[in-house]
């Protein structure tokens, strides 16, 4: 089953477990948000919305909030000594689609638990010993050269 959703002025075709970047939306990292503007519900019998499908929504987990790549708008008028430089970075939200819901259903899948880091064993048996860091020897001061005698060089 797939759905076409609209958010931030753009349309996305999504299926469960898709990861996509959209314009920033409200929601803390790890929470489930519902996107309500579903234009098409696909499957065996597709349902087209007029303009949206009534009672349909898409549940998604917020993975991350981040900023997009830099976009620089540079304008120059030649021979006029006129330059304008302007730039910005989009605010983005990374989502993982968890469910496609119909008939005013509520999301059943909660946020996924975060993976825990595997701790190294406390015993020194399995762990390889780490080599101690050695400091580089201090550099000796450079010896100053004695000034050469110009008279001896001419003779």
């Amino acid at each position: 089953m797939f759905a076409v959703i609209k958010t931030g002025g753009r349309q996305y075709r999504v299926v469960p477990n898709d990861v996509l970047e959209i314009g920033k939306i409200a929601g803390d990292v790890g929470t489930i948000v519902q996107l309500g503007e579903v234009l098409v519900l696909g499957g065996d019998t597709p349902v087209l919305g007029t303009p949206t499908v009534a009672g349909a929504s898409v549940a998604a987990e917020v993975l991350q909030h981040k900023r997009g790549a830099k976009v620089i708008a540079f304008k120059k008028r030649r021979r006029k000594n006129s330059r304008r430089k302007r730039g910005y970075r989009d605010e983005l939200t990374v989502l993982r689609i968890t469910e496609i819901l119909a008939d005013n259903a509520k999301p059943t899948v909660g946020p996924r638990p975060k993976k825990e880091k595997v701790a190294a064993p406390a015993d020194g048996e399995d762990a390889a010993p780490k080599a101690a860091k050695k400091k580089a020897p201090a550099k000796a001061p450079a010896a100053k050269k004695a000034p050469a005698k110009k008279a001896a060089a001419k003779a």
Side-chain angles (χ1 to χ4, degrees), residues 19-121:
V19 175
L20 62 136
E21 293 180 353
I22 64 171
K24 188 170 184 178
I25 59 173
D28 294 329
V29 174
T31 60
I32 299 291
V33 295
Q34 275 189 289
L35 306 170
E37 281 194 86
V38 178
L39 306 176
V40 176
L41 274 180
D44 296 334
T45 57
V47 179
L48 300 176
T50 54
T52 60
V53 178
S57 64
V58 172
E61 177 186 2
V62 178
L63 298 179
Q64 177 184 6
H65 292 292
K66 66 179 193 175
R67 298 180 75 192
K70 286 184 180 180
V71 178
I72 296 174
F74 182 78
K75 297 183 179 181
K76 180 181 180 197
R77 293 169 194 90
R78 61 185 186 158
R79 300 185 302 273
K80 306 288 190 234
N81 195 23
S82 173
R83 295 180 190 157
R84 294 292 176 264
K85 184 176 178 182
R86 180 177 179 275
Y88 70 95
R89 293 177 71 182
D90 281 332
E91 300 285 331
L92 301 174
T93 300
V94 180
L95 297 177
R96 178 186 295 121
I97 305 300
T98 55
E99 289 181 285
I100 297 173
L101 308 166
D103 302 326
N104 293 322
K106 297 290 181 190
T108 59
V109 179
R112 295 184 184 188
K114 292 186 177 182
K115 294 181 182 178
E116 294 181 17
K117 293 182 180 178
V118 178

Side-chain angles (χ1 to χ4, degrees), residues 120-129:
D123 299 328
E125 301 168 1
D126 296 336

